[in-house]
């Protein structure tokens, strides 16, 4: 007869032995789906397949109710597909395939004057001060859109707000920068 592991009277665990720890459902799912996700990303020409598998599980971990969902596998691969789409859009926007490594360029042009260096540093300082003055959500929306290249819809999904709210935060940020910095 098998007993409950926490009841010393009926437990099958020998005295002094440790009870097995409960298994994390996300770890179980990660072990089960790591290989299929790697194949999925490799098949779709993702050179950084390992990183993308990790990113899928980070996104899944942010949703507490997903690991026990009835359609977990479908959700997991939809997340993977969305990640591929996001990466593709980011590459298209930033045109990374047209970038040239700075190590390959030997530019021996003019050295900027001290005045130009000072102006550049001052402009950067004014910008970072203005960025720091934005409300946290507004600042995050601006950074996700301008520096991460995310669409308004993707930002809305990540923050759990409407696209309209993202548009309003972005407009507020742009107006703030225009007021604080003028045309750059």
């Amino acid at each position: 007869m098998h007993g409950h592991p926490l009841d010393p009277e009926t437990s099958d665990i020998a005295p002094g032995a440790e009870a097995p720890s409960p298994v994390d459902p996300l770890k179980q799912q990660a072990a089960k789906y790591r290989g299929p996700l790697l194949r999925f990303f490799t098949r779709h020409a993702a050179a950084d397949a390992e990183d993308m598998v990790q990113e899928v599980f980070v996104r899944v971990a942010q949703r507490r109710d997903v690991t026990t969902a009835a359609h977990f596998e479908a959700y997991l691969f939809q997340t993977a597909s969305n990640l591929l789409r996001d990466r593709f859009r980011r590459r298209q926007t930033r045109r990374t395939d047209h970038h040239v490594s700075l190590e390959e360029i030997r530019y021996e042009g003019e050295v900027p004057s001290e005045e130009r260096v000072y102006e550049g540093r001052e402009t950067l300082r004014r910008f970072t001060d203005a960025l720091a003055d934005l409300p946290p959500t507004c600042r995050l929306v601006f950074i996700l859109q301008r520096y991460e290249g995310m669409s308004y819809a993707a930002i809305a999904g990540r923050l759990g707000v409407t696209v309209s709210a993202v548009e309003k935060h972005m407009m507020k940020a742009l107006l703030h920068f225009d007021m604080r910095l003028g045309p750059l």
Side-chain angles (χ1 to χ4, degrees):
M1 177 176 178
H2 298 288
H4 190 274
L6 299 179
D7 183 359
E9 296 290 320
T10 61
S11 175
D12 291 338
I13 301 171
E18 287 188 28
S21 62
V23 179
D24 179 7
L26 186 58
K27 283 184 181 179
Q28 283 181 321
Q29 300 291 23
K32 180 178 179 181
Y33 289 106
R34 184 182 172 282
L37 281 171
L38 270 173
R39 286 189 293 281
F40 174 80
F41 286 125
T42 303
R43 188 170 52 245
H44 290 86
D48 51 353
E50 237 353 292
D51 292 339
M52 293 182 80
V53 168
Q54 189 73 20
E55 177 67 21
V56 167
F57 283 108
V58 166
R59 290 182 180 192
V60 168
Q62 291 172 346
R63 301 273 320 254
R64 299 176 202 276
D65 59 334
V66 171
T67 56
T68 57
H71 303 289
F72 178 77
E73 184 174 344
Y75 178 82
L76 189 71
F77 280 94
Q78 184 61 52
T79 302
S81 179
N82 291 345
L83 180 60
L84 272 175
R85 194 173 300 113
D86 290 348
R87 293 266 173 112
F88 174 76
R89 284 187 194 135
R90 190 172 299 131
R91 284 189 180 116
Q92 290 297 102
T93 302
R94 294 181 180 175
R95 302 183 55 87
T96 56
D97 53 333
H98 296 319
H99 289 188
V100 177
S101 172
L102 291 177
E103 288 80 33
E104 297 173 14
I105 299 174
R106 293 190 179 244
Y107 178 73
E108 297 182 19
E110 69 179 271
V111 175
S113 68
E114 288 181 28
E115 180 182 349
R116 179 65 189 119
V117 170
Y118 174 78
E119 287 173 0
R121 286 183 179 157
E122 184 61 21
T123 300
L124 179 61
R125 184 197 58 74
R126 288 178 42 230
F127 172 76
T128 56
D129 288 348
L131 183 64
D133 288 344
L134 287 172
T137 304
C138 191
R139 180 174 50 242
L140 181 59
V141 165
F142 179 81
I143 290 169
L144 290 174
Q145 203 284 318
R146 290 296 169 107
Y147 292 98
E148 296 299 322
M150 291 177 69
S151 69
Y152 286 0
I155 296 168
R158 181 169 174 179
L159 300 180
V161 297
T162 64
V163 173
S164 176
V166 170
E167 290 170 347
K168 288 174 185 171
H169 283 298
M170 194 65 183
M171 184 57 67
K172 182 177 182 178
L174 294 174
L175 289 171
H176 173 77
F177 288 128
D178 189 48
M179 189 174 70
R180 290 279 304 269
L181 306 173
L184 290 177

